[in-house]
CSV table of all heavy atoms in Angstrom, one decimal:
chain,number,residue,atom,x,y,z
L,612,TYR,N,86.7,92.1,110.0
L,612,TYR,CA,85.8,92.9,110.8
L,612,TYR,C,85.9,94.4,110.8
L,612,TYR,O,86.2,95.1,111.7
L,612,TYR,CB,86.0,92.4,112.3
L,612,TYR,CG,85.7,91.0,112.5
L,612,TYR,CD1,86.7,90.1,112.4
L,612,TYR,CD2,84.4,90.6,112.8
L,612,TYR,CE1,86.4,88.7,112.6
L,612,TYR,CE2,84.1,89.3,113.0
L,612,TYR,CZ,85.1,88.3,112.9
L,612,TYR,OH,84.9,87.0,113.0
L,620,PHE,N,78.7,90.2,110.4
L,620,PHE,CA,78.8,89.1,111.4
L,620,PHE,C,77.6,89.2,112.3
L,620,PHE,O,77.1,88.1,112.8
L,620,PHE,CB,80.1,89.3,112.2
L,620,PHE,CG,80.2,88.3,113.3
L,620,PHE,CD1,80.2,86.9,113.1
L,620,PHE,CD2,80.2,88.7,114.7
L,620,PHE,CE1,80.2,86.0,114.1
L,620,PHE,CE2,80.2,87.8,115.6
L,620,PHE,CZ,80.2,86.4,115.4
L,623,ILE,N,75.0,87.3,110.8
L,623,ILE,CA,75.2,85.8,110.8
L,623,ILE,C,74.7,85.3,112.2
L,623,ILE,O,74.2,84.1,112.2
L,623,ILE,CB,76.8,85.6,110.7
L,623,ILE,CG1,77.2,85.8,109.2
L,623,ILE,CG2,77.2,84.2,111.1
L,623,ILE,CD1,78.8,85.8,109.0
L,629,ASN,N,73.4,79.3,112.0
L,629,ASN,CA,74.6,79.6,112.8
L,629,ASN,C,74.2,79.7,114.2
L,629,ASN,O,73.9,80.8,114.8
L,629,ASN,CB,75.2,80.9,112.3
L,629,ASN,CG,76.7,81.0,112.8
L,629,ASN,OD1,76.9,81.2,113.9
L,629,ASN,ND2,77.6,80.8,111.9
L,631,LEU,N,76.0,79.2,117.0
L,631,LEU,CA,77.1,79.4,118.0
L,631,LEU,C,76.7,80.5,119.1
L,631,LEU,O,76.6,80.2,120.3
L,631,LEU,CB,78.4,79.9,117.5
L,631,LEU,CG,79.2,78.8,116.7
L,631,LEU,CD1,78.6,78.5,115.3
L,631,LEU,CD2,80.7,79.2,116.6
L,737,GLY,N,82.8,83.0,122.6
L,737,GLY,CA,82.3,83.0,121.2
L,737,GLY,C,83.1,82.1,120.4
L,737,GLY,O,82.9,82.1,119.1
L,738,SER,N,83.9,81.2,120.9
L,738,SER,CA,84.8,80.3,120.1
L,738,SER,C,85.8,81.1,119.3
L,738,SER,O,86.2,80.6,118.2
L,738,SER,CB,84.0,79.3,119.3
L,738,SER,OG,84.8,78.1,118.9
L,739,ASN,N,86.1,82.3,119.8
L,739,ASN,CA,87.1,83.2,119.0
L,739,ASN,C,88.4,82.5,119.1
L,739,ASN,O,89.2,82.7,118.2
L,739,ASN,CB,87.1,84.5,119.7
L,739,ASN,CG,85.8,85.3,119.3
L,739,ASN,OD1,85.3,85.2,118.2
L,739,ASN,ND2,85.4,86.1,120.2
L,742,ASN,N,89.8,80.7,115.9
L,742,ASN,CA,90.4,81.4,114.7
L,742,ASN,C,91.9,81.3,114.8
L,742,ASN,O,92.6,81.8,113.9
L,742,ASN,CB,89.9,82.8,114.6
L,742,ASN,CG,88.5,82.9,114.0
L,742,ASN,OD1,87.8,83.9,114.3
L,742,ASN,ND2,88.0,81.9,113.4
L,782,TYR,N,78.5,77.6,108.0
L,782,TYR,CA,79.4,78.5,107.3
L,782,TYR,C,79.0,78.6,105.8
L,782,TYR,O,79.8,79.3,105.1
L,782,TYR,CB,80.8,77.9,107.5
L,782,TYR,CG,81.3,78.0,108.9
L,782,TYR,CD1,81.0,77.1,109.8
L,782,TYR,CD2,82.0,79.2,109.3
L,782,TYR,CE1,81.4,77.2,111.2
L,782,TYR,CE2,82.5,79.3,110.6
L,782,TYR,CZ,82.1,78.3,111.5
L,782,TYR,OH,82.5,78.4,112.9
L,789,THR,N,77.1,84.6,105.1
L,789,THR,CA,78.5,84.3,105.4
L,789,THR,C,79.3,84.5,104.1
L,789,THR,O,80.4,85.0,104.2
L,789,THR,CB,78.6,82.8,105.9
L,789,THR,OG1,77.7,82.6,106.9
L,789,THR,CG2,80.0,82.5,106.3
L,792,PHE,N,79.9,88.1,104.0
L,792,PHE,CA,80.9,88.5,105.1
L,792,PHE,C,82.3,88.1,104.6
L,792,PHE,O,83.2,88.9,104.8
L,792,PHE,CB,80.5,87.6,106.3
L,792,PHE,CG,81.5,87.6,107.4
L,792,PHE,CD1,81.7,88.8,108.2
L,792,PHE,CD2,82.1,86.4,107.8
L,792,PHE,CE1,82.6,88.8,109.3
L,792,PHE,CE2,83.0,86.4,108.9
L,792,PHE,CZ,83.2,87.6,109.6
L,858,GLU,N,89.9,82.3,106.6
L,858,GLU,CA,89.6,82.0,108.0
L,858,GLU,C,89.7,80.4,108.3
L,858,GLU,O,89.3,79.6,107.4
L,858,GLU,CB,88.2,82.4,108.3
L,858,GLU,CG,87.7,82.3,109.7
L,858,GLU,CD,86.3,82.7,109.9
L,858,GLU,OE1,85.4,82.1,109.2
L,858,GLU,OE2,86.0,83.5,110.8
L,860,SER,N,88.2,78.0,111.4
L,860,SER,CA,87.4,78.0,112.7
L,860,SER,C,87.6,76.6,113.3
L,860,SER,O,86.9,75.7,112.9
L,860,SER,CB,85.9,78.3,112.4
L,860,SER,OG,85.9,79.5,111.8
L,862,LYS,N,87.3,73.6,115.8
L,862,LYS,CA,86.3,73.0,116.7
L,862,LYS,C,87.0,72.2,117.8
L,862,LYS,O,88.1,71.7,117.5
L,862,LYS,CB,85.2,72.3,115.9
L,862,LYS,CG,84.7,73.1,114.7
L,862,LYS,CD,84.0,74.4,115.2
L,862,LYS,CE,83.7,75.3,114.1
L,862,LYS,NZ,83.1,76.6,114.6
F,702,AVJ,C1,83.1,84.7,115.8
F,702,AVJ,C2,85.2,83.9,115.1
F,702,AVJ,C3,83.8,82.5,116.3
F,702,AVJ,O1,84.8,81.5,113.4
F,702,AVJ,O2,82.8,80.8,113.7
F,702,AVJ,C4,81.2,83.2,111.6
F,702,AVJ,C5,83.2,84.0,112.9
F,702,AVJ,N1,83.1,83.1,110.5
F,702,AVJ,N2,80.9,82.8,110.4
F,702,AVJ,C6,83.6,81.7,113.7
F,702,AVJ,C7,82.5,83.5,111.7
F,702,AVJ,C8,82.1,82.7,109.7
F,702,AVJ,C9,83.1,83.0,114.0
F,702,AVJ,N3,83.8,83.5,115.3
Side-chain angles (χ1 to χ4, degrees):
Y612 300 90
F620 173 64
I623 287 172
N629 199 287
L631 287 80
S738 203
N739 288 323
N742 284 155
Y782 292 83
T789 308
F792 172 65
E858 185 186 52
S860 302
K862 308 301 169 184

